[in-house]
Amino acid sequence: MDRRIEDYALIGDEQTAALVGRDGSIDWLCLPRFDSAACFARLLGEEDHGHWRIAPRSATTCTRRGYRPDTLVLDTEWETAEGTVRVTDLMPQREHAPDVVRIVEGVSGRVTVHSTLRLRFDYGSVIPWMRRSGGHRVAVAGPDSVWLRSEPSVRTWGEDFGTHSEFTVAEGERVAFVLTWHPSHERRPPLVDPYQALRSSVTDWRRWTARCTYHGPHRETVVRSLITLKALSYEPTGGIVAAATSSLPEELGGVRNWDYRFCWLRDSTLTLGALLAAGYHKEAERWRDWLVRAVAGDPADLQIMYGLAGERRLPEFELDWLPGFAGSRPVRVGNGAVDQLQLDVYGEVMDSLSLARTAGLPTKPHMWSIQCALMKFLEKAWRQPDEGLWEVRGGRRHFVHSKVLVWVAADRAVRTLEDHAELKGELEKWRALRDEVHREVCEKGYDPKRNTFTQYYGSRELDASLLLIPRVGFLPPDDPRVVGTVDAIRDDLGHGGFLRRYDTDAIGVDGMPGGEGAFLACSFWLADALHMTGRTDEAKKLFERLVGLVNDVGLLSEEYDPETGRQLGNFPQAFSHIGLVNTALTLFDGEQAG
């Protein structure tokens, strides 16, 4: 089967996640955390790199599928000549260990169903030793142990280093499978009741989604995006990963394949804003607390991304035994961009903490001290070139977006002191810094001939991040330079009606061969900028087109190729879903009913 990124759906337990294909195969699952090694890696390879397929023996892709409303419980149905069967997939909220629950239910007729489980630890490179124990199948290799449990009536056998089951279900009959991971040196965790887990998961998710305060157009799609963000949250710490996957390509067959199973500071303000505006203050507070813990320390050591609990070491290496999705190599794990200097993250952190304070989230006693330390560092460091928010690997430059975010840092520090007399800081020095940065950006980062800000000082290239200039308050939306920048970006970086981040053909900017698709978060930013500059009808038309890109279960990847109609990049992508939520809240703020 010619697999597509958009053929997948997500299930998860807020500590890790799995991707389920339209053929009923779980092709990606990392245990026990998002950033652990995968035990199913068919997504980036072949069947023998690990997968678990449950489907009618005579069928390939499903007839229909969908999440149960307001949940992360997935139903997949096949209509066959023998009848109709449904597979329900979920990962219940974790108590002791991660579980994957798969329930097969007969809808009509009598259908023969086959299950094939191939566990391959360490991203498909390790075949575990399989044995029977008390009616269960147990797989062990090194630190990993997985237990497979099914109904006693189901015949299970081993063949070709896989575990197979075949059974028949009639209308109203159900057969459940539970896959449970635990450290191999520990005892098997308590067994979960799969049917109770299903009932509890549906109840828990619907209780959570009921808190959403958005009631405008496309509410179902907005709620699905919020559920996706919740699913990408690491519950023990409050961190939110950028995506559930690694190395899904930005260009089919290309080399722009990165690991996104970490938490980026660049997403912090937009994430916080989306959660607060949609009514999820508890989640916003937990994200803010994760942020404060992660950035604590010497400001000179601030990283652009961290691990799920704030880990700093995320070494990048390649898995040369995996052929990659659609032959896209290399397959990378870890992310070398962690060592880059990106001055914009200082502005993101300052902006996020300012937003949290304004929104009334409980403050932390050391939060302002951390902010003052960040400002002290920026006073000297802001003149340095950096790699910019897109993590280019073509060398450092004076990226305009980075300088604008330095201005944001100074501006938020000044505003905080002006609004909170009890806090102490160097008000006049930060005012002077804010004015100096603003003046330099307008002089060196603006092309008066074309009436647009540019990607970096002295360049002619453009960058979609410049669309954030009015959003962060650097210039008002009606400033001619802002309107000119929005128009130039829309015209020059437009790709099939959507927006690229920047021109990947520009010599030496990102240091990588090949190209990429339209970047969905940037396309949402364009809709926001059009709205802010008075072109709301055009903004809404673009938003409608963007919403139309979600796959059949409401998910978005990082990018989209307008020429082939394919989603590209890691999936599902938090940045894309954050953009969808924020743009909906911006465009339809006055149209909500109830």
Side-chain angles (χ1 to χ4, degrees), residues 272-313:
L272 195 67
L275 293 171
L276 288 169
Y280 292 100
H281 285 238
K282 176 184 175 182
E283 288 75 11
E285 183 178 352
R286 299 200 72 227
W287 170 243
R288 190 280 313 270
D289 290 348
W290 176 91
L291 182 67
V292 172
R293 292 193 303 270
V295 304
D298 187 345
D301 297 330
L302 189 70
Q303 298 184 176
I304 68 169
M305 74 184 85
Y306 295 85
L308 306 177
E311 298 91 344
R312 290 174 171 264
R313 297 189 183 277

Side-chain angles (χ1 to χ4, degrees), residues 296 319 397 420 423 428:
L319 307 181
R397 287 171 168 77
H420 299 273
L423 299 177
E428 294 307 319

Side-chain angles (χ1 to χ4, degrees), residues 57 131 181 500:
R57 183 175 56 183
R131 61 182 173 85
W181 178 95
R500 296 171 295 159

Side-chain angles (χ1 to χ4, degrees), residues 2 51 71 87 135 167 199-200 239 273 285 287 295 303 309 340 362 385 402 413 461 470 512 541 556 592:
D2 181 20
H51 76 293
T71 77
V87 176
F167 52 95
R199 291 190 294 269
S200 298
E285 183 178 352
W287 170 243
V295 304
Q303 298 184 176
Q340 290 187 352
S402 296
E461 286 80 22
M512 299 292 295
K541 289 179 182 178
L556 288 171
Q592 297 197 47

Side-chain angles (χ1 to χ4, degrees), residues 356-474:
R357 188 178 281 109
T358 302
L361 296 183
T363 60
K364 298 292 183 181
H366 56 288
M367 197 166 74
W368 179 243
S369 297
I370 291 175
Q371 290 181 266
C372 290
L374 295 175
M375 288 306 304
K376 189 173 182 62
F377 173 79
L378 276 183
E379 289 169 10
K380 297 180 179 179
W382 78 272
R383 295 185 180 279
Q384 298 182 43
D386 71 344
E387 277 90 1
L389 86 161
W390 302 131
E391 300 156 17
V392 300
R393 302 195 177 195
R396 294 181 177 180
R397 287 171 168 77
H398 290 283
F399 286 102
V400 172
H401 174 265
S402 296
K403 306 301 186 186
V404 168
L405 267 291
V406 171
W407 177 90
V408 168
D411 179 72
R412 302 317 187 251
V414 168
R415 292 189 183 191
T416 300
L417 288 177
E418 291 174 341
D419 295 340
H420 299 273
E422 74 278 8
L423 299 177
K424 304 301 179 184
E426 300 187 67
L427 180 58
E428 294 307 319
K429 179 182 287 188
W430 294 341
R431 278 179 178 153
L433 174 61
R434 180 178 64 177
D435 293 344
E436 184 180 6
V437 174
H438 196 282
R439 185 167 50 251
E440 181 177 290
V441 169
C442 291
E443 290 176 356
K444 298 182 179 180
Y446 174 71
D447 182 349
K449 292 183 179 179
R450 293 188 296 157
N451 187 32
T452 181
F453 286 93
T454 60
Q455 186 178 40
Y456 55 91
Y457 288 177
S459 72
R460 291 187 54 81
E461 286 80 22
L462 301 178
D463 194 304
S465 63
L466 302 170
L467 294 169
L468 298 174
I469 285 176
R471 185 182 189 125
V472 301
F474 184 84

Side-chain angles (χ1 to χ4, degrees), residues 169-363:
V169 288
E171 180 178 347
E173 293 181 343
R174 295 193 297 180
V175 173
F177 293 81
V178 181
L179 187 77
T180 304
W181 178 95
H182 69 95
S184 59
H185 63 279
E186 295 181 1
R187 294 174 60 88
R188 186 199 67 193
L191 302 177
V192 301
D193 180 330
Y195 304 108
Q196 179 58 43
L198 172 58
R199 291 190 294 269
S200 298
S201 292
V202 170
T203 299
D204 290 346
W205 275 109
R206 288 178 176 166
R207 185 183 297 119
W208 186 84
T209 55
R211 292 166 47 201
C212 177
T213 58
Y214 178 76
H215 296 281
H218 298 289
R219 185 180 190 277
E220 183 178 344
T221 305
V222 171
V223 169
R224 177 55 51 198
S225 290
L226 289 166
I227 290 174
T228 303
L229 292 177
K230 178 70 168 171
L232 294 175
S233 302
Y234 185 62
E235 195 278 334
T237 67
I240 302 176
V241 297
T245 58
S246 175
S247 290
L248 287 181
E250 297 174 15
E251 179 183 40
L252 295 178
V255 300
R256 297 170 184 262
N257 317 316
W258 314 107
D259 193 346
Y260 274 16
R261 298 171 298 156
F262 310 113
C263 307
W264 265 258
L265 299 190
R266 75 176 183 205
D267 305 355
S268 57
T269 303
L270 296 173
T271 303
L272 195 67
L275 293 171
L276 288 169
Y280 292 100
H281 285 238
K282 176 184 175 182
E283 288 75 11
E285 183 178 352
R286 299 200 72 227
W287 170 243
R288 190 280 313 270
D289 290 348
W290 176 91
L291 182 67
V292 172
R293 292 193 303 270
V295 304
D298 187 345
D301 297 330
L302 189 70
Q303 298 184 176
I304 68 169
M305 74 184 85
Y306 295 85
L308 306 177
E311 298 91 344
R312 290 174 171 264
R313 297 189 183 277
L314 311 174
E316 182 179 305
F317 56 96
E318 297 178 4
L319 307 181
D320 57 9
W321 61 87
L322 289 175
F325 186 92
S328 306
R329 303 182 69 178
V331 172
R332 296 182 176 92
V333 166
N335 201 309
V338 70
D339 297 321
Q340 290 187 352
L341 172 66
Q342 294 181 20
L343 292 173
D344 63 289
V345 298
Y346 293 85
E348 287 285 357
V349 173
M350 292 294 293
D351 198 18
S352 295
L353 299 183
S354 175
L355 175 60
R357 188 178 281 109
T358 302
L361 296 183
T363 60

